[in-house]
Amino acid sequence: MRVSVTACLALGVVAGLALALSVPALAQHAHGAAGGYGGAGKRDQRPAPSWTDAPLLESGHSRRQALLRAENLRATEYWVSRPDRPEPELLATGARGVAFAPDKTDPGGYHRLIARQQGPHGARTATTLRYFSKPGPAPYALLAQALPGLEVVPATLPREHGHFRAGETWEFVARYNGQPLAGQILTLTSELGQSVRAATDAQGRARITLPERFKRAEGGHRRATTRFVVATTLLQGGRQEQAAFNDHFIAPQSEGKSAPLGWGFLALGMLLGAPLLRQKSSSQNQETRP
């Protein structure tokens, strides 16, 4: 059976490049923010996180539902904003934690989850996002839907099954009653102790680069996640409001790549194709002789 020289060379090149640019296969996918859960309505005995005093909303590890737990605030309200119905819907009031799962008629994709603490002297708002593996609309309306008071949200989100990654630069939006806040200071803090500050522009947007330090997976195939929060504070009419968005990031795309090995396979593919190339060249010379 004759083998095409072009096919052999192409096979070698593709094999080399694929290995050079590949990331080790991971059998499991992490969806939603990292964090445990004490159970809806049960008293959570875990201490408050020491790496930040910003309001946080954790959504647990369950794949089918979000097990919400507020940290660094006494949540008086829990809300959800769905991709097809971005107007926030009240889930519970006065609970330590609450479970949420899309019903059968809901689309999948990103859902925005909110915990709020309201008081006479101010408010604290924690926002996170949870991805449910089911076809759903793009989250443009979800992110554009404004809440009353102060809030922080990403301007865009990772694509389906995607993640924030260490070292990437993302835009975050600060707004008050739906209006962008110019010159507002946003502070990103990671659970590994790194902190980044940036001021918003006239559209209320700030570009923030996620920290370079990240957690690495130890054994098994589960992808390690590093928690982060983007927070801001505003004094308005004698009241102090604090709002934050929290999620997690994972290793950069370059982590685990093996360029030398990949280039080695590329060279091997070309080396294996060289004899066939010479053979074809010799055959063509013989055919052209008079």
Side-chain angles (χ1 to χ4, degrees), residues 27-34 61 63 130-131 161-163 222-225 248 250:
Q28 299 182 12
H29 296 276
H31 298 279
H61 291 302
R63 296 173 64 89
R130 182 65 181 268
Y131 186 89
H161 298 297
H163 297 267
R222 188 173 180 83
R223 183 176 285 148
T225 61
H248 68 269
I250 63 173

Side-chain angles (χ1 to χ4, degrees), residues 14 104 149 165 217 243 285:
V14 169
K104 294 181 179 180
R165 290 182 177 270
N285 289 337

Side-chain angles (χ1 to χ4, degrees), residues 245-260:
F245 167 80
N246 65 276
D247 209 303
H248 68 269
F249 60 88
I250 63 173
Q253 290 281 6
S254 59
E255 181 72 6
K257 293 178 182 176
S258 179

